Amino acid sequence: MPTVTSIINLKGGVGKTTITLALAHFLTLEHHKRVLVIDLDPQTNATVCLIPEREWQRRDEAGLTLYQLFADAVKGTHRFDADAAIVRDVSNIAGGIKGLDLLPSSLRLIKVQDRVTQITDFETYERGPIFALRDALAEFLPYYDHILLDCPPSLGVVTLNGLAISDSYLVPVVPDILSVLGIPPILDRVEHFAQRTRRNIRALGIIISKMRAQTILHNEMERRLREDFVERRFPPVFRTVVPESTRIAEAANVLAPVNTLQQKYGNGGPMDELSALTQEFLWHVSR
Ligand SMILES: Nc1ncnc2c1ncn2[C@@H]1O[C@H](COP(=O)(O)OP(=O)(O)O)[C@@H](O)[C@H]1O
Ligand SMILES: [Mg+2]
């Protein structure tokens, strides 16, 4: 069975999508893993970084995105077809990477999430479509080595569907005061969900993201994060730090014609860090 990992934080803009995409690219191209990215965020950032926006739109209109899965839950229909919705061999590297697949999100998830929220019990999780994603993907997951779930900055029904198939999660944080304060509530909420649904969801680690090594604040917050781990209050902080880098931001462009990881992420740029991050991720999941 695959390793299923949610990339989660209640804050937006902390690098969740960027880290999900980097892991997906390095796992497939440097480690020859079969990877499925599931985009749970209605902002559809991961989706439009892996397939052109036009293709996403066509698929969304045809009911081939996660919108359809939750619309079914609301309407009692069974239209969602996971096999048809999964886009194979995505990314702009060399016209598509063999073994890198995507289950696209939809802007329309926002509306449908409001509807499913009304029929969900967030204390017991016994009422509401918490396991819709699990049931829809059951026969497809074993094909992959890794499933990466790019979560929205909330713990609504859609994110819970992701956690319901996850055996681990990663928390990207920008090393500043508000981001660090935001970590304990995430750990608590995931633990609450895991206990109530009798699952084990391992906090794989915290990833320091968008690090500006020349600032005192970022260095101070990195030191504090690592000390908090020593005191056992937080999950381990990854040794590898993702620097703030224009090359990383530019790599999001799926229309750029590139042929290699080096061309996408830049020679001498953040290639080494992202490669090290992926190796560290593999080390953590293997433990
Ligand atoms: N390491 C980085 N260096 C530079 N820009 C980054 C980096 N990580 C993320 N960004 C940029 O910051 C913004 C938010 O990142 P994103 O990954 O979308 O965060 P989230 O998914 O947590 O909302 C995006 O514009 C992205 O391009
Ligand atoms: Mg995002």
Side-chain angles (χ1 to χ4, degrees):
M1 283 304 275
T3 305
V4 186
T5 308
S6 280
I7 293 84
I8 198 164
N9 193 318
L10 298 176
K11 277 179 79 69
V14 296
K16 292 183 294 296
T17 300
T18 303
I19 285 169
T20 305
L21 293 171
L23 287 174
H25 279 94
F26 283 76
L27 282 170
T28 48
L29 289 173
E30 286 199 332
H31 299 275
H32 313 289
K33 304 288 189 194
R34 286 174 299 196
V35 177
L36 173 65
V37 173
I38 303 180
D39 185 2
L40 295 177
D41 191 347
Q43 292 181 80
T44 67
N45 291 345
T47 298
V48 297
C49 288
L50 289 171
I51 58 174
E53 198 169 348
R54 273 218 333 257
E55 185 181 346
W56 163 74
Q57 220 149 29
R58 186 182 62 73
R59 290 179 160 271
D60 194 36
E61 282 160 16
L64 295 171
T65 63
L66 278 174
Y67 164 77
Q68 190 61 52
L69 177 70
F70 292 99
D72 283 348
V74 171
K75 297 174 187 165
T77 50
H78 298 278
R79 293 221 183 95
F80 181 73
D81 177 350
D83 194 24
I86 292 172
V87 195
R88 269 78 182 191
D89 303 340
V90 294
S91 168
N92 58 326
I93 295 185
I97 298 171
K98 195 131 198 55
L100 175 51
D101 296 352
L102 166 74
L103 183 54
S105 186
S106 167
L107 297 169
R108 292 187 287 163
L109 265 186
I110 299 175
K111 243 195 194 155
V112 80
Q113 167 146 286
D114 286 347
R115 302 271 302 276
V116 283
T117 299
Q118 292 162 13
I119 54 172
T120 302
D121 181 339
F122 287 90
E123 255 324 295
T124 64
Y125 308 106
E126 277 164 9
R127 206 161 46 80
I130 299 291
F131 300 105
L133 187 66
R134 181 193 67 186
D135 297 343
L137 292 183
E139 68 178 284
F140 300 96
L141 297 189
Y143 171 77
Y144 297 97
D145 301 307
H146 289 274
I147 316 285
L148 301 173
L149 296 121
D150 186 21
C151 295
S154 71
L155 274 167
V157 182
V158 175
T159 304
L160 295 182
N161 267 267
L163 286 175
I165 61 170
S166 297
D167 35 52
S168 60
Y169 66 102
L170 291 168
V171 184
V173 293
V174 176
D176 64 26
I177 292 161
L178 294 181
S179 297
V180 172
L181 285 175
I183 297 173
I186 304 165
L187 307 179
D188 290 350
R189 296 280 296 278
V190 175
E191 186 52 33
H192 178 264
F193 178 74
Q195 276 182 8
R196 292 292 163 92
T197 54
R198 295 193 183 80
R199 314 190 62 256
N200 187 17
I201 311 175
R202 187 155 66 106
L204 219 50
I206 291 169
I207 298 177
I208 296 174
S209 158
K210 297 170 86 169
M211 171 79 179
R212 279 183 269 128
Q214 65 279 23
T215 67
I216 294 172
L217 174 67
H218 278 202
N219 281 295
E220 169 63 13
M221 294 315 287
E222 178 183 1
R223 187 185 62 75
R224 269 207 236 168
L225 273 168
R226 295 192 188 281
E227 283 178 3
D228 278 345
F229 169 55
V230 174
E231 293 167 21
R232 297 283 158 193
R233 292 189 7 237
F234 281 176
V237 179
F238 273 45
R239 253 185 316 123
T240 312
V241 169
V242 181
E244 184 163 76
S245 143
T246 317
R247 286 308 295 253
I248 294 185
E250 286 168 352
N253 179 11
V254 72
L255 299 177
V258 296
N259 284 311
T260 60
L261 267 180
Q262 278 82 358
Q263 284 174 4
K264 190 172 178 72
Y265 286 102
N267 263 327
M271 271 293 293
D272 292 347
E273 283 92 344
L274 298 179
S275 178
L277 182 80
T278 308
Q279 281 187 24
E280 205 178 340
F281 168 75
L282 284 170
W283 180 78
H284 279 288
V285 294
S286 72
R287 289 170 70 228

